[in-house]
Amino acid sequence: MNRTLILLVAVVILGAGAYFLMSEEKQGTVSSVVGADREFSVPREDVYKVFLGDRNGNRTTLTRTSSGWVYNDEYPARPDAVENLLTAVDKIRMRFKPADAAIPNMIDGLATQGIKVEIYGKNNELLKTYYIGGATNDERGTHIILDGAEQPYVAEIPGWEGNLRFRYNLIGDDWRDRTIFRLNPENITSVSVEYPKQQNKSFRVDYDEAAKVEPFYPLTPRIQKPLQPSRVQAYRNNFEKIIASGFNNLNRERDEITQQIPFAIITVDTKNEDTQSLQLFPIFGKPFVDPKTGTTTQPTEVTGYYGLTHANDFMILQNPMVSKILWAYDFFYE
């Protein structure tokens, strides 16, 4: 009897232990799978490269370098666009699991319109891959699915409302840095501004030991008033950051516009013998028809400028930004 009782107790204990281990193993497996397909974020400090691609053939690679982020291994990337993307990569979280009835449409949308996101670490190690889809009806969440997973989710950035897709789906030049001039004033050796149709306003500033301002054209009479050194230095400081509002390289009228005489040609030389230039072409308001006379009038007010850079990029600049460097010869004198 004692032997039978001992065996019975042993069986009960072993059975309970086996059940406990099997239960733990089962729960652990489910937990790890569920946790894995809900984890989308990667700490921004771990991100060294991001690849984005869609079914329309758009391909974007953003790479961290010692001098900043680079777009497609060629151009400096737009800082605010990269910041928006890295914030999403770092802070993206699951908002909720969708109802079963909504999953087929989500999967279809992710498959046909999703943006593939590949995130790489310092040694080109693939850290995370997922697909970003469209937004929920209230625009407060964004469809997402981890690569290789079967369950899609709705994601968000906690504390921020909006469609996360917009942080991932910039195309082409929209990823590029719009900065035209970003110069250390102390490195500038000379600046010339040529106004082909207003030659008496054109000038050249040489930043030698004693800075001097001279007319750009030899036949322009020299101003005999005292030079204002503070204005000469203030003008050089304006080249620390001149940023365009956008690229316009695909403008069909680009060739026609750039074949015209520029309003201004700005050339900057630096100590490292680097020369940067910008040609400006005015943008006028749209023609309007006088309702009384029926005549068409072309506005004379300049609303902005097209800019052709030394790198052959065609850009759009706003008046407040351009006015900082469109000075005239007599501005430097009392």
Side-chain angles (χ1 to χ4, degrees):
M1 287 292 294
N2 289 338
R3 183 187 302 176
T4 303
L5 180 61
I6 292 172
L7 289 175
L8 181 60
V9 171
V11 170
V12 171
I13 293 174
L14 290 174
Y19 175 81
F20 177 79
L21 290 173
M22 291 174 63
S23 177
E24 281 290 292
E25 182 179 354
K26 182 178 180 181
Q27 290 178 10
T29 303
V30 172
S31 175
S32 63
V33 171
V34 171
D37 72 358
R38 295 181 180 184
E39 290 295 329
F40 305 105
S41 67
V42 177
R44 62 186 302 150
E45 61 269 19
D46 295 340
V47 180
Y48 281 78
K49 185 173 74 173
V50 179
F51 169 81
L52 306 168
D54 62 27
R55 286 188 173 274
N56 294 323
N58 298 305
R59 298 291 183 268
T60 296
T61 301
L62 299 164
T63 308
R64 188 201 294 191
T65 69
S66 58
S67 58
W69 285 84
V70 175
Y71 161 69
N72 282 1
D73 298 323
E74 186 174 1
Y75 305 104
R78 203 174 106 210
D80 61 324
V82 173
E83 176 61 26
N84 286 338
L85 176 65
L86 291 178
T87 298
V89 167
D90 181 43
K91 297 184 180 299
I92 190 170
R93 299 290 187 274
M94 184 196 78
R95 186 180 183 200
F96 63 82
K97 180 180 178 180
D100 291 343
I103 290 178
N105 286 337
M106 290 179 64
I107 294 294
D108 182 63
L110 286 161
T112 58
Q113 301 176 16
I115 300 171
K116 186 177 185 180
V117 182
E118 295 178 355
I119 303 168
Y120 294 84
K122 188 174 184 178
N123 298 316
N124 208 36
E125 174 191 1
L126 182 61
L127 302 178
K128 189 82 66 175
T129 303
Y130 54 79
Y131 295 82
I132 286 284
T136 55
N137 291 334
D138 61 4
E139 292 286 330
R140 294 183 177 181
T142 307
H143 299 164
I144 189 171
I145 189 170
L146 202 66
D147 185 43
E150 298 179 358
Q151 174 67 55
Y153 294 95
V154 172
E156 66 173 355
I157 293 179
W160 182 87
E161 291 188 358
N163 187 351
L164 290 177
R165 183 183 177 91
F166 294 123
R167 296 176 181 245
Y168 295 82
N169 73 342
L170 300 182
I171 297 173
D173 286 342
D174 289 339
W175 284 110
R176 293 180 57 190
D177 189 356
R178 299 170 181 171
T179 303
I180 296 177
F181 295 112
R182 191 192 299 275
L183 300 170
N184 181 345
E186 298 300 322
N187 289 334
I188 296 176
T189 57
S190 69
V191 180
S192 66
V193 179
E194 176 186 0
Y195 300 103
K197 295 183 179 181
Q198 295 178 295
Q199 296 190 4
N200 65 322
K201 301 293 184 182
S202 307
F203 63 90
R204 176 183 172 87
V205 185
D206 287 309
Y207 291 97
D208 298 323
E209 293 183 3
K212 58 183 178 180
V213 181
E214 298 179 334
F216 183 86
Y217 295 96
L219 297 180
T220 300
R222 292 177 177 272
I223 295 176
Q224 301 303 319
K225 297 178 182 180
L227 184 68
Q228 294 293 296
S230 60
R231 296 181 186 177
V232 178
Q233 183 57 43
Y235 183 68
R236 182 164 65 164
N237 291 341
N238 289 340
F239 286 89
E240 283 188 295
K241 186 182 293 185
I242 299 296
I243 302 176
S245 59
F247 287 87
N248 202 225
N249 284 318
L250 300 180
N251 189 328
R252 295 181 179 179
E253 299 178 352
R254 167 179 171 155
D255 291 342
E256 179 182 348
I257 294 170
T258 55
Q259 288 172 6
Q260 301 172 9
I261 297 175
F263 169 74
I265 304 171
I266 302 167
T267 305
V268 183
D269 293 313
T270 62
K271 290 180 180 179
N272 61 0
E273 299 182 353
D274 178 37
T275 299
Q276 300 182 25
S277 63
L278 175 67
Q279 298 181 47
L280 294 173
F281 305 86
I283 300 174
F284 299 99
K286 294 182 179 180
F288 61 91
V289 178
D290 189 319
K292 295 182 179 180
T293 64
T295 58
T296 301
T297 302
Q298 173 66 56
T300 58
E301 180 182 1
V302 177
T303 60
Y305 292 89
Y306 292 114
L308 182 64
T309 72
H310 61 281
N312 202 36
D313 279 312
F314 197 54
M315 311 183 80
I316 295 178
L317 297 94
Q318 300 300 322
N319 278 326
M321 185 63 67
V322 178
S323 63
K324 297 195 299 183
I325 55 177
L326 286 182
W327 288 26
Y329 176 36
D330 57 356
F331 283 9
F332 296 94
Y333 295 85
E334 290 185 0

